Structures are given as structure tokens and as C-alpha cells.
Amino acid sequence: MDFSNRSTQPQTAAPSAHVAPSAPSGKKSKSDGSVWKRVGAVVTVVLFAVILIAMTLVVAGGNPPKSESTYVDTGKLQAVFLSTGQVYFGNIKKLNPSYLVLSNIYYLQTSSSSSTSSSTNVSLVKLGCELHEPYDQMVINRTQVTFWENLQDNGQVAKAVASFEKTNPNGQKCADQSTSGSTTGNTVQNAGSSTTTKP
């Protein structure tokens, strides 16, 4: 039998499934590129912020603001004005946002005399000989302080304090106030001025 002459129809091959070509091993996919773009954007923003902060510091002088305590002249007296109207003179030893510590304290005291005309004398008084005999240190809440200032040596208060300290090198001596009822042991000096008002 001769099969070579047989006429047959060519058979068509079944279609094969489509296979996507694989990405070449040397190239990156689109998702890798977008990650690097995001990283680059973040780095750019951070660098811009750092440069902006550095430029702001240079323009502002580069120095942080001074602490308020650096303004205290330790060689001078300070006056501390309270919201109550009271003024204390002394040396600020510590100053922070919560409180200040004052030592070597003096204050002004007024006294009136005469019944027909009112005459007011102002005296500078050294703290310590009051009825409750406080120590010569005061801790003042900062919310009560209106302002404070350094005093010059040639002012009346500074001169009176210097004179008192020269006269009393061992500190003040308080008189027995239980019998006298006065505070003459701590009066430094009359302020030198008196006001007279008529009714």
C-alpha cells in the first residue's frame, strides 16, 4: 500500500495560548520608578525646609533671644514693682518664668501726722524687724510682678541702703517690739520729702 499518494488536507494547528513576553531582566518596572519619584520629592521638601530655617536664623541674627535673668545687674540693687502697688528694693538672686527670689530687702513705709493738716512722711525700711520677723529673703510669684528694674548707685534708695550697710556692718538689730510697738529698729532713712495736704 502506497500512502504517499494519498491526498489529504493539511491539518490546521490548534491556536496556542498567548503568553506575554517576560520583561528583560535589566529593565525596571513602572512601579519602581514611581517609588523613587516619591522618595525624591520627600527629600526635596526636607532640604527646602532645612534651607528655609537656616536662612531665617541668618536673617534674624542667628542669636536666640536672651533670657530675662541676663538683664539682672548683680552689682546693683533692683526695684520690684508688684501688681498690688507695693515696691520692694533688694538684690534679685533668681529669676525664672514662675518666680523671682529677692534678698537684702527694703521697702517704703508712709506715716501721717497732725490732725488738722495731713503730713505724710516716707521712710525706707529694712525687712526683718516686723512683728513676724521674716528672713531677709522673699520668693515672689511672677504673676504678681508688674516689672522690675536695676537701680543706679547715685539714686536716693541706693545711697540710703549703702549708708545703712556702712552704719550696720553686722546687720540690723531689732528692738523689742512687744513693748514698744514700733519698727524704729529697721527704719533706714526718711526719704527726704514729705507731702502736706489740707482737708
Side-chain angles (χ1 to χ4, degrees):
M1 258 188 142
D2 187 18
F3 293 108
S4 59
N5 288 340
R6 233 187 216 179
S7 89
T8 57
Q9 295 262 343
Q11 293 184 3
T12 57
S16 62
H18 179 65
V19 177
S22 62
S25 61
K27 294 185 179 178
K28 296 181 181 175
S29 68
K30 284 186 176 181
S31 63
D32 287 344
S34 65
V35 168
W36 286 111
K37 284 181 184 177
R38 280 187 255 146
V39 169
V42 169
V43 169
T44 303
V45 169
V46 169
L47 286 175
F48 180 74
V50 168
I51 291 169
L52 186 63
I53 291 170
M55 287 175 52
T56 303
L57 289 175
V58 168
V59 170
N63 296 327
K66 284 185 176 182
S67 169
E68 184 180 359
S69 61
T70 60
Y71 293 102
V72 175
D73 187 345
T74 56
K76 308 282 184 192
L77 287 172
Q78 286 78 44
V80 179
F81 295 81
L82 303 184
S83 57
T84 61
Q86 180 68 47
V87 182
Y88 290 103
F89 305 99
N91 301 110
I92 295 177
K93 296 296 183 182
K94 185 168 187 165
L95 180 63
N96 64 42
S98 300
Y99 62 90
L100 68 82
V101 177
L102 191 68
S103 66
N104 190 28
I105 303 165
Y106 299 82
Y107 60 94
L108 297 175
Q109 186 176 53
T110 58
S111 60
S112 299
S113 61
S114 180
S115 59
T116 57
S117 66
S118 178
S119 177
T120 305
N121 293 322
V122 178
S123 302
L124 186 65
V125 178
K126 175 77 172 117
L127 181 76
C129 290
E130 292 76 15
L131 183 63
H132 59 292
E133 293 191 31
Y135 286 105
D136 194 14
Q137 182 179 25
M138 192 178 287
V139 179
I140 305 171
N141 189 328
R142 286 304 302 272
T143 61
Q144 299 299 313
V145 177
T146 306
F147 67 96
W148 65 270
E149 58 192 6
N150 294 305
L151 300 181
Q152 297 183 38
D153 292 334
N154 59 355
Q156 285 185 332
V157 171
K159 285 180 180 177
V161 169
S163 174
F164 178 79
E165 289 174 348
K166 186 176 180 181
T167 308
N168 301 287
N170 297 325
Q172 66 180 337
K173 306 238 184 319
C174 299
D176 183 10
Q177 296 176 10
S178 60
T179 57
S180 67
S182 67
T183 58
T184 55
N186 62 346
T187 300
V188 177
Q189 178 182 3
N190 284 340
S193 64
S194 62
T195 57
T196 304
T197 57
K198 294 184 180 178

